[in-house]
Amino acid sequence: MTAALLILAAYLAGSIPFGFIIARMRGVDIRTHGSGNIGATNVGRVLGRKWGGICFGLDVLKGLLPTLFAGWWLGLVRLDGGTIGAASTATLFIWLGAMAATVVGHMFPVWLGFKGGKGVATGFGALLGVWPVLTFAGFGALLVWLISVQISRMVGISSVIAAICLPVFVFAHPWIAWVVGVREQTPVWPFGVVACLLAAVVVIKHRANIARTLAGTESRIGRPKAEVPPTSPS
């Protein structure tokens, strides 16, 4: 029962459509502008960088805070910042289930007919909440994303590349932890399984971006783009 409530609460928190709310407050239905997506990228494209940044921050928090709360409730998050230590596989999967539920909530929000964003910002926040295994992996994926954006100037395909790299960083965690001096007793494979699933969902949600990139029509940062009819936020 505790596991079900934690996961449900995390899903509902992740379902809060901040992009939609911000745009509505500005008199805009974000679903009918740009790509039709409720995420920070489209909010920034339609309303400006300031509002896109606010949306990004709120989406990160709705992934981070429920994940931290679930970990604290399960006794896995320590206020002194220590590592997870020995924990049962079942307990780890409850925590990881709550973490993943925030991302699923953003992608398929109950408040908007299960049509939401692509989960990148919320996923990043959720990863930061699972210290240290997914936190390290999340920052690694962020670094890959930043490098890819700098080179390609394409947010969507950069998100796909970062998502694919995420499980690699997770399974490399023992080596990364050794380098930075963190001693971790928890097995890596439960985190790796969830990272693979999240990466697969992110890639699927960006299938339209992949198709446009292959066709050479994907929009790039810094290049003006005329308003186009909204597409399905997939």
Side-chain angles (χ1 to χ4, degrees):
M1 180 63 70
T2 298
L5 290 176
L6 282 176
I7 292 173
L8 176 61
Y11 167 78
L12 292 175
S15 289
I16 301 173
F18 285 119
F20 175 81
I21 294 171
I22 290 171
R24 274 298 193 189
M25 292 174 62
R26 303 288 296 172
V28 174
D29 185 346
I30 196 66
R31 298 171 298 178
T32 62
H33 291 76
S35 67
N37 195 277
I38 67 168
T41 299
N42 195 42
V43 171
R45 182 182 297 122
V46 175
L47 300 179
R49 290 184 179 181
K50 181 183 77 170
W51 296 106
I54 292 173
C55 180
F56 180 84
L58 291 173
D59 282 348
V60 169
L61 286 176
K62 75 179 184 181
L64 173 62
L65 296 181
T67 300
L68 287 176
F69 177 80
W72 171 80
W73 186 269
L74 295 168
L76 298 175
V77 170
R78 294 169 50 180
L79 297 180
D80 60 3
T83 58
I84 298 170
S88 70
T89 301
T91 303
L92 284 177
F93 271 118
I94 294 173
W95 189 20
L96 293 172
M99 180 209 76
T102 65
V103 185
V104 173
H106 177 78
M107 292 178 170
F108 307 101
V110 64
W111 321 114
L112 296 179
F114 303 102
K115 296 179 180 179
K118 297 178 180 178
V120 175
T122 303
F124 177 65
L127 293 173
L128 295 184
V130 183
W131 168 267
V133 182
L134 294 186
T135 306
F136 289 167
F139 276 116
L142 175 62
L143 179 61
V144 170
W145 184 86
L146 290 172
I147 294 173
S148 179
V149 167
Q150 185 65 31
I151 294 173
S152 69
R153 314 303 296 173
M154 293 185 289
V155 174
I157 201 66
S158 297
S159 299
V160 170
I161 294 171
I164 293 173
C165 290
L166 177 65
V168 177
F169 286 118
V170 172
F171 285 112
H173 173 77
W175 180 81
I176 298 172
W178 179 79
V179 169
V180 299
V182 174
R183 299 296 176 260
E184 184 59 59
Q185 305 173 17
T186 306
V188 170
W189 72 267
F191 303 94
V193 169
V194 173
C196 287
L197 293 174
L198 286 176
V201 174
V202 170
V203 171
I204 291 171
K205 290 287 282 186
H206 283 82
R207 61 191 182 276
N209 299 83
I210 296 173
R212 289 194 297 268
T213 300
L214 294 175
T217 59
E218 178 73 337
S219 61
R220 296 174 184 264
I221 297 176
R223 179 178 298 176
K225 180 179 179 182
E227 182 78 2
V228 295
T231 59
S232 174
S234 60

